[in-house]
Amino acid sequence: MPQPKEIFVKTDRCVGCMSCMLACAVEHSQSKTLFGAIAEARAPKSRLYVEWAAPDRKIPLVCRQCEDAPCMHACISGAITRNEDNIVVTNADKCIGCWTCVMVCPYGVIGRNMDTGKAYRCDRCPDREIPACVSACPTGALIYETVPEYSKSIRKQASQEFARAEGE
Amino acid sequence: MDRNATQYLIVGGSAAGMAAAHTIRSHDPMAPVTVLTDETDKPYFRPMIPFVVSGKKKSQDMAMEGCGPYVGKDIFVKTDSRVVSVDTDSHRVFLENNQVFNYGKILFATGSRPFIPPDIKGTESNGVFALRTLAHARKMNARAAQTQHAVLLGGGLLNLKAAFALLERGIKVTLVVYSPQVLSQLMDAEDAVLIRNALDDAGLEIRTGTAAVEIESDNSGVRGIVLDDHTKISCQMVCIGKGVRPNVEFLENSKIKLEKGIVADIHTACSQSDTFAAGDVAVTHDPVSGKPVMTALWTNAVEMGRCAGLNMAGLPTAYAGTFGILNATQIANMPFVSMGLVHTKDLDCEIFRSGGQGSFRKMVFSSDGRHLIGMVLIGDISNAGLYRHVIQGKKLVEKFKHHIIGHNLHWGHFIK
């Protein structure tokens, strides 16, 4: 089985432009275009959230696809499953809007759609090669790689910084 | 006498039992796992049964198999199989239908059953329900067809859900609550105002501070109910939601240690070797108060069942304990969450209340103000999981306390 890719977040690179949120909402709209999305009766919703913390840090929060997903185990209607791509998905037909998943998600990344009475969450953009938020990020704060790829890049970066410091 | 043998035997086919079965299967792909349930239905999502009463969903819509984490293969579920006694020395259980099972390891996950107050007369009449199983829900659905007025005894969550299921069918519903307010188990009376208003607006008639004395019936079933203030309400259905009692009778002549429920240690093990307990029937510890608790909550039962499954499969896992109160739901279009210590009347603690149009929150901190120990959110319940994380993890709240009080805590506040 090939290594699955994950969305990694580099908080030091985020400038809080919220391009990811916009792209996410557009990708999950009916029309999948920005202008079409704006015109839709029910405003499409982003499934990730850029938060701010003092003194001035921007933190993009996105579903971590927990291995032991608390939301999936807590769900009282069997609406949350892990699909064949290992992605935790919420089946809106089965969701009854009891918000138990919201109560147990430690990251606060499950949204409540008050129009439909259903919970919604990151689905890793099943129609796309690269999730919309990652594609849209202009600063490389969101990265879509396998764990070995990502840790290799971190090691490389660390060794470069180390070498530079040595050279000074 | 039929004889059967299984490596893992699970008594009870609801949340705890099935969570354990599937957890065992994911760690032990080959060994036989057998689940015995006394119900006629295959395992299902019990919290969904009010939808059968309302007619919104069918029994098969709430089947557990293949949904959520319940995707393990080759788990043998035997319905109509009630265990009547257990011999832990010879590792055998005896069923009502005379079957005998030999087990390697056994899990007691027999859950609980509705408490029927013995001081109410006439509770055996036709048309009196205590909604617990899918079979009950189907009967209640059928009775609803000939019901114009239903009286529900008890103001807990289950009865409120049943009330709305009946309201949706156009039935007049009166809720008779002995406590001063509805949901008294989940919040103090003064904190439940918003929910009470929403229930009133939804057309639910609520009588607090009163109890039922007698249910009157004739050969067509329930005709009316008499309350302790001598008022009489004409009705065709009564539903009793007065809490639950653990199903432990089958262990009374066994060596398993009981204290109201089944005593389970930190690894979910019972007092005899190769025996485990999980779910409503197990006595465990509240992580906040440290006191022994029995909870009747789906989410807790699943968590404990999974823990028991790991221990049974040979992976020693400590059970972190559970909140006695851990509820999220939406009734009358009003979402709310209640968790941890929420009854603060005689509690030495620090409380922050805040309310506005259509929302309310109460954050309860320890007396020294350094830990969050409970909370109630009504209306805006976003990010509720973060507070659970803070309460359960006993986190020092110093650095982000104002974010808790202001209800704008997010994961970024935990990142160094």
Side-chain angles (χ1 to χ4, degrees):
Chain A
M1 195 176 133
Q3 278 275 349
K5 289 186 174 183
E6 306 289 344
I7 297 175
F8 294 96
V9 180
K10 288 191 159 182
T11 52
D12 56 332
R13 287 210 182 166
C14 180
V15 294
C17 71
M18 306 200 187
S19 301
C20 53
M21 290 178 69
L22 188 69
C24 178
V26 169
E27 177 64 21
H28 293 93
S29 67
Q30 299 284 324
S31 64
K32 298 203 175 193
T33 67
L34 179 58
F35 291 106
I38 291 168
E40 280 168 28
R42 283 178 179 169
K45 292 169 166 44
S46 169
R47 285 114 201 271
L48 84 166
Y49 310 84
V50 180
E51 298 283 5
W52 182 91
D56 190 21
R57 294 171 58 201
K58 291 87 182 176
I59 299 139
L61 296 172
V62 58
C63 176
R64 302 318 306 155
Q65 305 290 342
C66 304
E67 192 177 322
D68 234 0
C71 56
M72 178 173 82
H73 293 289
C75 179
I76 63 167
S77 68
I80 306 178
T81 32
R82 199 179 281 283
N83 70 13
E84 58 278 15
D85 297 326
N86 226 22
I87 306 299
V88 181
V89 291
T90 300
N91 177 346
D93 290 338
K94 279 197 168 268
C95 176
I96 57 165
C98 71
W99 318 128
T100 304
C101 51
V102 175
M103 179 181 71
V104 299
C105 173
Y107 298 104
V109 290
I110 300 179
R112 293 178 297 133
N113 187 328
M114 299 315 278
D115 296 326
T116 59
K118 311 275 183 186
Y120 61 91
R121 47 123 41 80
C122 169
D123 57 3
R124 288 273 177 90
C125 295
D127 301 339
R128 298 175 60 103
E129 187 97 348
I130 296 169
C133 56
V134 177
S135 298
C137 180
T139 62
L142 297 175
I143 294 169
Y144 192 53
E145 280 179 348
T146 65
V147 172
E149 279 167 2
Y150 185 69
S151 57
K152 190 178 173 188
S153 73
I154 295 287
R155 278 197 304 273
K156 202 171 160 189
Q157 190 189 339
S159 58
Q160 281 168 349
E161 278 173 23
F162 184 71
R164 214 176 300 136
E166 285 279 280
E168 276 171 8
Chain B
M1 191 186 277
D2 288 338
R3 278 189 172 275
N4 304 276
T6 181
Q7 172 58 22
Y8 299 102
L9 184 64
I10 289 156
V11 188
S14 195
M18 295 311 289
H22 287 273
T23 304
I24 291 169
R25 181 52 78 230
S26 64
H27 290 90
D28 190 342
M30 300 304 285
V33 177
T34 306
V35 179
L36 305 176
T37 167
D38 60 1
E39 293 187 46
T40 51
D41 291 286
K42 289 234 172 196
Y44 56 92
F45 290 97
R46 193 181 302 288
M48 303 279 281
I49 59 174
F51 291 105
V52 169
V53 177
S54 68
K56 265 190 177 171
K57 288 185 193 287
K58 300 264 172 259
S59 301
Q60 58 268 29
D61 297 335
M62 47 206 70
M64 232 182 196
E65 197 180 348
C67 290
Y70 309 99
V71 291
K73 296 273 184 284
D74 297 329
I75 289 164
F76 303 104
V77 178
K78 285 180 123 38
T79 53
D80 282 310
S81 300
R82 178 190 293 273
V83 172
V84 288
S85 66
V86 180
D87 180 0
T88 49
D89 290 339
S90 64
H91 283 51
R92 282 188 303 173
V93 303
F94 304 89
L95 274 59
E96 199 174 45
N97 60 14
N98 288 327
Q99 289 199 40
V100 177
F101 274 83
N102 271 84
Y103 63 82
K105 289 174 183 171
I106 190 166
L107 175 69
F108 304 119
T110 43
S112 54
R113 63 174 181 282
F115 171 63
I116 309 293
D119 49 338
I120 302 176
K121 285 183 206 154
T123 51
E124 66 296 329
S125 312
N126 194 10
V128 179
F129 298 95
L131 187 56
R132 176 70 188 176
T133 65
L134 200 42
H136 293 157
R138 283 191 294 261
K139 280 186 192 151
M140 208 162 147
N141 175 301
R143 179 79 188 177
Q146 54 190 93
T147 300
Q148 292 85 48
H149 190 175
V151 174
L152 277 57
L153 309 177
L157 206 48
L158 180 69
N159 253 8
L160 286 177
K161 286 185 177 176
F164 275 86
L166 295 169
L167 280 177
E168 279 173 26
R169 295 190 55 161
I171 294 168
K172 180 175 160 57
V173 181
T174 303
L175 200 68
V176 175
V177 186
Y178 187 66
S179 309
Q181 192 50 283
V182 293
L183 294 173
S184 61
Q185 299 286 318
L186 299 183
M187 56 192 83
D188 284 336
E190 67 261 37
D191 300 328
V193 176
L194 267 185
I195 291 181
R196 174 61 190 266
N197 292 344
L199 295 175
D200 290 342
D201 291 346
L204 190 61
E205 188 192 338
I206 302 173
R207 296 191 184 203
T208 53
T210 182
V213 178
E214 185 176 358
I215 297 164
E216 296 178 334
S217 60
D218 60 16
N219 49 18
S220 70
V222 175
R223 291 292 304 275
I225 190 161
V226 183
L227 305 182
D228 59 0
D229 57 5
H230 305 295
T231 53
K232 206 173 138 177
I233 306 171
S234 161
C235 61
Q236 296 76 41
M237 182 195 283
V238 172
C239 185
I240 301 173
K242 292 282 198 183
V244 294
R245 295 292 179 271
N247 293 320
V248 293
E249 290 72 11
F250 71 108
L251 291 174
E252 267 162 7
N253 295 317
S254 74
K255 292 181 178 172
I256 299 287
K257 190 179 172 196
L258 304 176
E259 274 171 22
K260 287 184 182 161
I262 305 171
V263 178
D265 70 8
I266 185 111
H267 292 104
T268 67
C270 306
S271 60
Q272 300 294 309
S273 58
D274 300 322
T275 63
F276 299 82
D280 293 12
V281 77
V283 181
T284 141
H285 287 85
D286 186 300
V288 181
S289 69
K291 288 178 188 154
V293 283
M294 274 190 288
T295 69
L297 292 171
W298 182 268
T299 321
N300 283 347
V302 170
E303 208 170 322
M304 197 173 183
R306 290 174 60 209
C307 183
L310 290 171
N311 284 305
M312 291 171 80
L315 300 156
T317 309
Y319 182 57
T322 183
F323 299 142
I325 295 168
L326 181 67
N327 268 295
T329 201
Q330 178 158 327
I331 41 173
N333 291 325
M334 188 59 89
F336 72 88
V337 171
S338 171
M339 61 171 88
L341 288 172
V342 292
H343 295 98
T344 49
K345 215 173 166 194
D346 300 307
L347 198 66
D348 182 19
C349 60
E350 209 180 271
I351 302 166
F352 292 87
R353 278 192 180 85
S354 166
Q357 192 70 35
S359 76
F360 169 86
R361 63 178 182 266
K362 167 171 154 179
M363 301 296 187
V364 186
F365 295 89
S366 54
S367 56
D368 63 6
R370 297 175 74 197
H371 294 95
L372 183 69
I373 55 174
M375 51 138 266
V376 176
L377 291 178
I378 301 172
D380 178 12
I381 63 158
S382 50
N383 283 3
L386 275 94
Y387 302 109
R388 176 177 178 263
H389 179 74
V390 172
I391 298 172
Q392 198 152 33
K394 296 183 179 165
K395 282 181 169 283
L396 284 169
V397 295
E398 227 170 352
K399 288 195 178 120
F400 44 82
K401 193 172 176 180
H402 58 292
H403 293 301
I404 296 177
I405 297 163
H407 186 34
N408 53 24
L409 185 70
H410 59 72
W411 183 260
H413 294 128
F414 301 147
I415 302 173
K416 288 200 181 70

